[in-house]
Amino acid sequence: MNCVEIENLCKSYGDFSLKNISFCVPEGCVVGLIGENGAGKTTTIKCILSAVKADGGTVKVFGKLARELGADERARIGVVTGGSGLPSNLSVKQVEKAMRGIFRGWSGESFCRYAEKFNLSADKKVRELSGGMKQKLALAVALSHESDLLILDEPTTGLDPVARDDVLEEFYEYIQRENRSVLITSHITGDLEKICDYIAFIHNGALLFFEEKDKLYEKYGIVRGDMASINRLGKDAVVAYTASPYGASALALKEKLPKGVAAERAGIEDIMLYVIKGEKL
Amino acid sequence: MKGLFYKDLLNLKTHFFYYALEIAVFAAVSYFMENVYFFCGLMIFLSVSATISNMQCDEVDGFEKFAVLSGISKKKLVGEKYLFSAFALLVSAVLGAAMNLVMRSDKAGFFADAIYTFSALLVIDVLYPLFFRYGVEKSRSLYVLIFAGTLLLAAASGFFIGGAEIDLALLAAIFGVFGALFTAVSFAISVKILKSKEY
């Protein structure tokens, strides 16, 4: 069962267009949506949340068309997007009280636990919090209304490494409960490597791949050498390469490499960089 | 809706002192001038200004986007705003009525209070669709015009009320019916605007 199913999603804004995006968020899994700025990640998320109208394709959440979700189903989605949007004149304690009256299934107990964990002082006003602390508050809100799906757009932006680790731990804990899923975008690919089961890579509005993270590690490798050695690997094996006066390296498909050629492990960031900035043979 | 209303009330908490000060000053001036219409008329200013400040707070915070992305129904979001304004209008109407009692006005004072309240409702009915469509900042010049127009209308009606040639009860009832009808239309327009909006 998939929590989110996207098929042939299209959306155009002036000179930008999202082209036939298809991927899913399986139940109980964390899917990382990666891509450079302006690739279409946030637009995809907004289509899932019905904040923008898709020009084509379908988006289903919990098996139902996203735009037809009722209040009960929407309450099962926890959301964090850029800019907290929380009322700046309210204190953390007052935010809790307001959210209690807004979200069905709100758990004040969970909120207090997260507030304590994230060092959010109850009497501090939202406007007095730093960017990172506001982000933590938004996370505490998203995690406190007993959702089954978390949709997070750059949730760890502005957080220091320790806070980021705390937050990732919370996400990890969140998905331990049955049937909970997470769709997350982040430019900090190290964070995604820690928690994601699947990676969807969007580039220039098109989906380049949607794969299990471990399969990506099995599939891709980095080969280093000089330009002549990269050329010898062949077009079928080399996805993209970069060259400098000091040498060359290539992102290669491991199964297509000639025998005896060793490949280093390619991380998500490597894959992104080679695909976006590398050249084709 | 309870949570949204609570949030809106708290958003304006910092303004409460100024509102209290304005009410006290207007009440004193009105009392010494022996003109209850002055106080009732200025209560329009208070309820409309609370509505504008409330929308402005949401705009600065980006709350509308947060609410929509978080799955709060757009109808509920709009409905709460109208409810909040109705509450502000009720407070100003009650204050007007209290001032009428203090100044021992005749029926005309109470009817004037009702007429002013309903005309403020009409202003709010025009403002909300503008705010939802263009935002508070972009609508500023438009609402200054609307507000000035309404104040002129209120002043003109004060002149007629002073003449007491017209049936004030009927006028209040007409304003009330129009207010209710306009509110229903304005609400429907605001919901439509929000539903077609992209974030």
Side-chain angles (χ1 to χ4, degrees), chain A residues 11 13 46 49 51-53 74 79 81 84-90 94 97-99 101-104 141, chain B residues 1-4 6-7 10-11 13 57 61-63 65-66 68-72 195-199:
Chain A
K11 173 75 187 168
Y13 290 114
K46 284 179 179 173
L49 296 171
V52 297
K53 283 192 187 90
R74 280 307 303 261
V79 179
T81 57
S84 79
L86 293 166
S88 56
N89 289 334
L90 271 63
Q94 289 166 338
K97 253 188 169 176
M99 296 303 147
I102 290 174
F103 292 111
R104 295 174 198 200
V141 170
Chain B
M1 209 177 264
K2 210 168 66 185
L4 293 171
Y6 173 75
K7 184 259 316 165
L10 286 176
N11 251 341
K13 207 176 155 191
C57 284
D61 295 333
F63 183 80
K65 185 182 169 191
F66 165 82
V68 170
L69 291 177
S70 297
I72 298 169
K195 279 191 174 168
S196 65
K197 213 165 166 181
E198 296 201 328
Y199 295 86

